[in-house]
């Protein structure tokens, strides 16, 4: 069974409220601005929601340069559910987002060889030269 | 008016230090269109012209396509030119989109 991705977002932070279980995702963004020759180091979270998971399933989260299809960052992510009807909110912290050049990049989530979804981001150079 | 809200979703977090791998080069991902035919499966790279893999199973066709792409990438790197790339082809009817990851070399853990 292939998991179904609902949203995938890049944001400043995400946390779960104790008691209610509600999740707050703050500071959603799709553009990073950096000084030339530097990476984005302010930190971020990749937040996504999946259903259709039964048992423990390995997903792969990758950050891809859409200009030449290079994978710049990746990691496995393990999600677990007792029932495929269960909805899983997942947040992954990333400290540094590489910006080798201005252009288009994407956070992509895979299950085996299937692309579940992607969050595209644009990287621009700050004209003032400030990060 | 009134009431409260809550969520029954499962919630998981992964920290920044565990599991990320930063690549300095040599790892690529390509989209492929995969279709079943009378003789097995065919996987066609969606953005790189002329790159095709065939096999008895979908996995075998993707493995062949991975090898074909790796060879083309090595040749392009040796020649100092980028791999030819087109806009993604429309997904043909009866095909599934799959991801092929090609690992040449040059990775570093962070």
């Amino acid at each position: 069974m292939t998991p179904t991705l609902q949203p995938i977002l890049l944001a400043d932070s995400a946390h779960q409220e104790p008691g209610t279980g509600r999740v707050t995702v703050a500071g959603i963004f799709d553009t990073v601005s950096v000084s030339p020759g530097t990476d984005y180091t302010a930190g971020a979270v990749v937040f996504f929601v999946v259903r259709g998971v039964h048992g423990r399933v390995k997903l792969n989260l990758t950050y891809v340069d859409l200009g030449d299809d290079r994978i710049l960052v990746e990691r496995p992510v393990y999600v677990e559910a007792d029932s495929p009807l269960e909805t899983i909110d997942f947040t992954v912290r990333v400290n540094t987002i590489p910006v080798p050049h201005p252009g288009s990049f994407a956070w992509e989530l895979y299950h085996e060889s299937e692309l579940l979804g992607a969050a595209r981001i644009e990287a621009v150079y700050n004209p003032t030269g400030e990060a | 008016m009134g009431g409260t809200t809550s969520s029954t979703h499962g919630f998981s977090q992964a920290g920044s230090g565990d599991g990320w791998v930063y690549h300095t080069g040599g790892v690529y991902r390509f989209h492929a269109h995969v279709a079943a035919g009378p003789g097995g499966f065919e996987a066609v790279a969606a953005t790189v012209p002329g790159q095709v893999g065939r096999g008895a199973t979908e996995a075998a066709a993707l493995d062949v396509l991975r090898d074909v792409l790796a060879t083309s990438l090595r040749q392009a790197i040796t020649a100092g030119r980028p791999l030819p790339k087109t806009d993604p082809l429309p997904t043909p009817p009866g095909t599934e989109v799959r991801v092929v990851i090609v690992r040449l070399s040059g990775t570093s853990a962070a």
Side-chain angles (χ1 to χ4, degrees):
Chain A
M1 183 173 198
T2 300
T4 303
L5 180 70
Q6 297 182 322
I8 178 167
L9 303 165
L10 193 61
D12 288 335
S13 65
H15 70 274
Q16 186 178 38
E17 295 176 6
T20 67
R22 297 189 311 176
V23 175
T24 298
V25 181
I28 296 168
F29 61 90
D30 64 1
T31 302
V32 296
S33 179
V34 300
S35 299
T38 66
D39 295 328
Y40 182 77
T41 56
V45 296
V46 180
F47 174 79
F48 62 87
V49 180
V50 289
R51 299 188 72 179
V53 174
H54 194 197
R56 182 176 164 88
V57 173
K58 179 186 177 185
L59 307 177
N60 284 305
L61 182 60
T62 67
Y63 174 68
V64 180
D65 183 341
L66 296 180
D68 60 8
D69 296 310
R70 275 192 309 144
I71 292 178
L72 303 177
V73 184
E74 67 178 329
R75 64 165 295 158
V77 175
Y78 294 90
V79 294
E80 193 164 3
D82 294 330
S83 161
L85 299 178
E86 195 173 316
T87 301
I88 303 165
D89 299 337
F90 207 104
T91 180
V92 188
R93 183 100 196 144
V94 55
N95 285 340
T96 300
I97 299 175
V99 183
H101 56 81
S104 299
F105 301 82
W107 289 95
E108 297 184 340
L109 188 67
Y110 310 128
H111 173 246
E112 298 176 348
S113 62
E114 193 161 343
L115 175 65
L116 301 182
R120 182 174 172 137
I121 70 169
E122 298 296 321
V124 298
Y125 281 159
N126 186 332
T128 65
E130 296 174 0
Chain B
M1 298 286 286
T4 61
T5 60
S6 64
S7 171
T8 60
H9 291 191
F11 184 73
S12 299
Q13 290 178 286
S16 60
D18 47 345
W20 287 115
V21 177
Y22 285 71
H23 297 292
T24 55
V27 185
Y28 298 79
R29 77 91 179 89
F30 299 94
H31 291 164
H33 297 147
V34 180
F41 286 79
E42 183 176 83
V44 179
T47 58
V48 187
Q51 308 287 293
V52 180
R54 295 185 182 88
T57 63
E58 177 182 307
L62 290 170
D63 283 344
V64 173
L65 178 59
R66 183 177 296 108
D67 291 342
V68 168
L69 286 164
T71 299
S72 296
L73 277 165
R74 287 192 185 96
Q75 289 172 346
I77 291 167
T78 300
R81 56 173 169 75
L83 200 61
K85 186 176 176 182
T86 64
D87 289 335
L89 299 170
T91 304
T95 68
E96 300 286 342
V97 177
R98 295 289 183 260
V99 173
V100 176
I101 295 179
V102 180
R103 299 177 188 278
L104 297 180
S105 62
T107 64
S108 63

